[in-house]
Amino acid sequence: MIYNKGQKKAMQEEVIEKKNRRRELDFLRGIAILLVLFRHQLLFSFLKQMGWIGVDLFFVLSGFLVSGLLFKEFQKFGVIDPKLFLIQRGFKIYPIYYLTYILYILAIIMEHNLKLKKVFFDLVFIQNYALGWGYGYPASWSLAVEEHFYFGLVLLLWLIFNKKLIRFNDFTENRFSAFEKLLLVALVCVFILRIISNIEFPNQMVRNTTMSHLRIDSLLAGVLISYWYHFKRNKLILYYSKYQKYLLVLSFFFISFTPFIEPIGSFFVKTIGFTMLYIAFGILILHFLLDSQINSRINRIFSTVLVSFISKIRFSSYSIYVIHSFVIYLVRLLNLDNRYLCFLLVSVVSIGTGFLMTYKVEKCFLNYRDQYFPSRAI
């Protein structure tokens, strides 16, 4: 196909815009993985205290990005391919997860504490229900939530797009669509379930933090933002432009409690606190999506070099997340007293190993996936 100069210029501008947009969202995902490192390896107490919100930021971003793939596929074909979607996610998630899990099992065997039943829970991603935290490494509970979300989301959208469960094409700008109402009802229901669970089962402090049906609203909030962005963008831009300053103030206000409250034992955090966080992060994501000057703004605040570095960390964020607990285990074996040195070792080794895993292991599986199971959304 031959393109004229105008078409070529438009295509070049679109490519540049996509690259910049990836950098902006990559920066947020890089921040999320750094927050996780702050949470699990002490540097400063206030960073450790608030580091748990990195997972919540991951959840909202994941809901936005993953649902965006399915929305694009629907826009292109009018239906989605659930099997292809799950295969694609499987190639992304499972190889790194299971290969790395061998290291955690070896560490447990060395401590003569292997429990095969608990290993099974980790391997089939039900550890957040059966155990609360993960067994091989506690942080794996959040991967179980994401897995449950993938299956639930693709089933829901298959019923809506392919089986016409509800009317989806009612994109009237001035009223809520059936899909929006469905998501809003789901968000309210999860909030109510959190309140009930924390009142009726107060001793289940960990499970009240980790079970998917009590945490999936953060991912659904990302889906709602993705829906607005893909199907009601004009209305979204007008609304956000009008209330941008107020929304940003609200966002930072909703995050402000996090350095001061430990979440596991807090009824406030495990009920309304989680809701406040996905609202705050949702607003922040919208700002990064809709502010045309966001790249230059974050460059001025953090410096271009630092923003680019944090954005590149995002590319390996999954591998870093999966391996960092093992790195912490190894560093603790050294019995170092200097917390600054420990944090430096954990961060450098986790990020370096994460990059290595991404480029040498994950990329091989993704290349195979893209060759034999290419995405329909591109």
Side-chain angles (χ1 to χ4, degrees), residues 213-249:
H213 68 284
L214 304 181
R215 298 304 307 274
I216 205 166
D217 52 345
S218 296
L219 290 132
L220 294 177
V223 176
L224 183 58
I225 294 168
S226 182
Y227 172 82
W228 288 336
Y229 185 73
H230 286 94
F231 298 104
K232 291 190 172 183
R233 191 177 305 183
N234 292 335
K235 181 71 173 179
L236 180 63
I237 292 171
L238 287 173
Y239 183 86
Y240 190 77
S241 299
K242 184 176 180 180
Y243 298 104
Q244 174 180 327
K245 292 181 180 178
Y246 302 105
L247 289 171
L248 286 175
V249 170

Side-chain angles (χ1 to χ4, degrees), residues 17-41:
E17 182 183 354
K18 286 182 178 179
K19 284 183 178 179
N20 288 336
R21 190 63 63 203
R22 281 198 299 268
R23 180 177 182 265
E24 294 153 15
L25 295 184
D26 286 353
F27 176 74
L28 286 179
R29 295 184 74 181
I31 291 293
I33 192 63
L34 290 176
L35 284 167
V36 170
L37 291 176
F38 287 136
R39 174 65 177 177
H40 294 155
Q41 182 60 49

